[in-house]
Amino acid sequence: MEKQQQLYRTAFGLALFTIFYNVAEGIISTYLGFEDESLALFGFGTDSFIEVISGLGIAHMILRIRKNPESNRDNFERTALRITGTAFYLLVMGLVATSLYNIWIGHRPLTTFWGVVISLISILIMWILVWWKRKVGNQLHSAPILADANCTLVCVYMSIILLISSGIYEFFRVPYIDSLGTLGLAYFAFKEGKECFEKAKSDKHCCCA
């Protein structure tokens, strides 16, 4: 019993770390994305802020299942999912419209160096979180925690897209690659938004990963 409680404390700690990390990543990425005129990096940072809302729901979920592993989602979690889903859809519309406009006018970032740096850091941190959350989820036989680990894996995919688009532009100056990378981020943001609304309507713990 004590080991189980320790595992739940670890899961809650990982949820809190995810929240604080996304806050820091969001602030740094949106600032540098704006300064460097990199839409992909700015969009990546905005996505991080939305992940914070999702993270609050996850932290609340862990406290709930710690008390009663068989309990279903409550109103707080469903509301957090709907808000997160709406924010993702708004982000998608903004990213798609702006990236298409940038392609139309031939806009290019000043640099995408920080996109490369931030994406590499994010890939490393998120992979560690995925591994740790899966370890805890398997030990607790907890479908919700394992689903959260899979959702964290989506952040790895988005970081890889940022790394590829930023790296190609930084080293080869390929036109429009920053905007194309932004459209890739919009694709995953749309999937995450759809997933949020689906989970808000049910008690399933699946994830788009």
Side-chain angles (χ1 to χ4, degrees), residues 67-171:
K67 295 179 180 178
N68 182 7
E70 303 302 319
S71 61
N72 293 323
R73 288 192 184 91
D74 57 21
N75 289 332
F76 180 90
E77 292 171 53
R78 295 184 193 278
T79 300
L81 284 167
R82 293 188 188 99
I83 293 173
T84 305
T86 301
F88 274 129
Y89 281 160
L90 291 173
L91 176 63
V92 169
M93 289 188 288
L95 292 181
V96 171
T98 309
S99 59
L100 292 178
Y101 176 74
N102 282 351
I103 291 174
W104 175 261
I105 66 174
H107 175 270
R108 299 186 184 189
L110 299 177
T111 177
T112 53
F113 170 78
W114 288 112
V116 174
V117 174
I118 291 172
S119 60
L120 285 172
I121 295 173
S122 181
I123 290 170
L124 175 62
I125 297 297
M126 290 300 147
W127 263 120
I128 293 173
L129 284 174
V130 169
W131 171 80
W132 209 339
K133 288 178 180 181
R134 282 180 173 175
K135 181 180 179 181
V136 173
N138 283 321
Q139 289 179 312
L140 287 170
H141 304 289
S142 173
I145 294 176
L146 289 173
D148 176 43
N150 287 336
C151 289
T152 303
L153 188 59
V154 177
C155 297
V156 177
Y157 299 153
M158 298 182 79
S159 300
I160 291 173
I161 290 176
L162 178 63
L163 175 62
I164 292 172
S165 62
S166 297
I168 291 176
Y169 184 82
E170 187 64 23
F171 292 106

Side-chain angles (χ1 to χ4, degrees), residues 20 46 60 64 97 103 162 187:
F20 292 127
T46 306
H60 177 83
R64 170 177 59 79
I103 291 174
L162 178 63
Y187 167 76

Side-chain angles (χ1 to χ4, degrees), residues 175-199:
Y176 312 129
I177 192 65
D178 185 71
S179 294
L180 292 177
T182 302
L183 291 175
L185 294 177
Y187 167 76
F188 279 105
F190 176 80
K191 291 189 67 175
E192 287 193 277
K194 181 181 178 182
E195 183 84 15
C196 286
F197 281 110
E198 289 176 351
K199 288 196 288 187

Side-chain angles (χ1 to χ4, degrees), residues 25-27 29-30 39-52 87-88 91 95:
E25 183 179 74
I27 293 172
S29 297
T30 51
L39 180 60
L41 181 55
F42 185 86
F44 183 79
T46 306
D47 177 86
S48 297
F49 286 128
I50 300 175
E51 297 289 353
V52 171
F88 274 129
L91 176 63
L95 292 181

